[in-house]
Amino acid sequence: MAWALQFDGVNDYCTTTGWTPTSNNWSFEIVFEILSIGGSNAIVISNGSHTNGIYINYSSTGASNIFCGGQNIGIGTLVTGVQYTAALVSTGGSVEYFINNVSAGTKTTTCAPLLGMNFGRRVQTASQYSEVLLETVTFTDNLTPSNSRLYDA
C-alpha cells in the first residue's frame, strides 16, 4: 500500500482548498492510520471546527469521534498501526457516519465540507499536530460527479 502523506506530529500539515457540493447529497471518505497517540484532541482531519464542517479526533486513550456540522458520533477506540476508513454520507438533511464500512449511526444535519481542510493539524490550535498516515481522501458530489475530488498516492 502506498501512503499519500505521512505526518510526524512535529510542525507539519497540509490544507486543501474549499469544496462545495451542488446539493446535500454528497459523501466524504478518508483512509488513514494513526502512528502515535499523544495528547488529547490530536486531529486526523478537520474542517473549521467541530461545529463547522468535518472533524475527526482521537484522545490520548484512543477514544474517537466524528463530527459533522457539530453533530458528534463516537466511533470507538482507535489503535496505532491499524488502517481505518472513516466516511460520511449525506442524503438530504441527514448524514450517516461510518467506520470501516460499518454504520456508527445517523444524525440530522446539513453539514458540508465547505472550508479548506487541514490534514495532520487541528485548525483551532496551531501547536496540536498528529502523527498519522493518509492514503486517500475522497469528496463525492452525488448530483454532479464532475464536481467530485480525489486525493491519493
Side-chain angles (χ1 to χ4, degrees), residues 11-144:
N11 210 25
D12 59 349
Y13 70 101
C14 71
T15 302
T16 67
T17 57
W19 176 71
T20 304
T22 56
S23 73
N24 279 330
N25 294 308
W26 54 267
S27 63
F28 164 81
E29 181 178 278
I30 181 169
V31 178
F32 66 94
E33 179 180 322
I34 298 170
L35 298 176
S36 174
I37 295 179
S40 182
N41 263 345
I43 304 304
V44 173
I45 181 173
S46 61
N47 177 356
S49 74
H50 71 282
T51 60
N52 181 13
I54 296 170
Y55 178 85
I56 301 173
N57 71 349
Y58 59 95
S59 73
S60 58
T61 64
S64 304
N65 297 284
I66 299 178
F67 292 82
C68 185
Q71 301 295 315
N72 169 30
I73 288 189
I75 55 173
T77 300
L78 303 183
V79 296
T80 59
V82 174
Q83 179 179 310
Y84 294 97
T85 301
L88 296 165
V89 178
S90 174
T91 307
S94 66
V95 175
E96 189 168 8
Y97 299 61
F98 292 89
I99 187 71
N100 290 340
N101 299 313
V102 175
S103 178
T106 302
K107 296 280 187 168
T108 301
T109 182
T110 56
C111 160
L114 303 174
L115 303 174
M117 303 183 87
N118 279 4
F119 298 83
R121 183 186 86 172
R122 185 175 178 188
V123 173
Q124 306 93 317
T125 308
S127 63
Q128 289 189 331
Y129 296 90
S130 302
E131 191 174 356
V132 296
L133 297 170
L134 300 178
E135 181 184 353
T136 57
V137 178
T138 308
F139 302 98
T140 303
D141 188 325
N142 296 324
L143 184 64
T144 309

